Amino acid sequence: MDFQTVKPLLFIVVLPTLIALIHSFGNYVCNGAFDFHARENMPRELASATLYMNEGYVEGGGVHGRVDQVYQRADGALVVTDTKTRAKHAVYESDVVQVSAYAMSLRKSQPLKVCKHGYIRTVIVDGQGGRCVQYHRIKLMTDARVQALVLHG
């Protein structure tokens, strides 16, 4: 066999195998991050970011709480994410208030920029232990609006 005969086989057999091996090795090195991002259907903005805080306590601006996750984008900005386990994928006003309060606390206590949007991660668990995850991008309230709610309810 000459190279011209073997060349198509390289693209049909060897290239896909090589790509699969690289993916498996990358997944191993990154502790399963590739599979996690695919399973989670994570937005690209979060998948390409670094986990900055996980279930961390935040306090500032008169509010405090335990934020589920905060991601740091390549530009240094922080994105707040909160997880809700529910019977359906839905975002409520109370969710927006909560994530907005966390973002305000971060702004008051961290020197880093905090995005004006965040994410609500909703999880629906079925009877067999399976789950369906969705991320909902939300526009956060201004710090002034959060402060007004804290002071006046």
Side-chain angles (χ1 to χ4, degrees), residues 10-148:
L10 289 174
F11 288 105
I12 294 171
V13 176
V14 175
L15 191 59
T17 303
L18 184 61
I19 290 170
L21 286 172
I22 290 170
H23 176 81
S24 293
F25 178 73
N27 204 35
Y28 172 76
V29 168
C30 295
N31 294 319
F34 294 163
D35 288 342
F36 174 78
H37 292 157
R39 217 176 29 252
E40 284 280 305
N41 196 23
M42 186 178 270
R44 184 170 297 162
E45 176 183 31
L46 299 180
S48 65
T50 303
L51 184 61
Y52 179 81
M53 183 184 293
N54 186 45
E55 297 184 12
Y57 183 78
V58 293
E59 182 174 7
V63 297
H64 60 89
R66 187 164 303 282
V67 63
D68 287 344
Q69 285 85 33
V70 178
Y71 291 89
Q72 187 172 28
R73 300 184 322 195
D75 66 359
L78 301 179
V79 183
V80 180
T81 303
D82 196 61
T83 299
K84 304 293 183 187
T85 303
R86 301 207 158 121
K88 65 179 183 173
H89 293 293
V91 175
Y92 301 105
E93 185 177 359
S94 59
D95 301 333
V96 177
V97 171
Q98 182 180 9
V99 174
S100 298
Y102 291 152
M104 182 188 71
S105 289
L106 284 167
R107 276 189 208 93
K108 303 288 185 189
S109 63
Q110 302 282 323
L112 301 169
K113 178 182 185 252
V114 180
C115 291
K116 293 180 180 180
H117 68 276
Y119 288 89
I120 300 295
R121 174 181 172 263
T122 56
V123 180
I124 297 174
V125 180
D126 66 24
Q128 289 79 31
R131 60 192 197 128
C132 178
V133 178
Q134 280 187 8
Y135 284 80
H136 311 269
R137 183 178 165 134
I138 57 169
K139 181 179 182 215
L140 300 180
M141 301 169 131
T142 65
D143 290 354
R145 179 72 180 123
V146 173
Q147 287 283 348

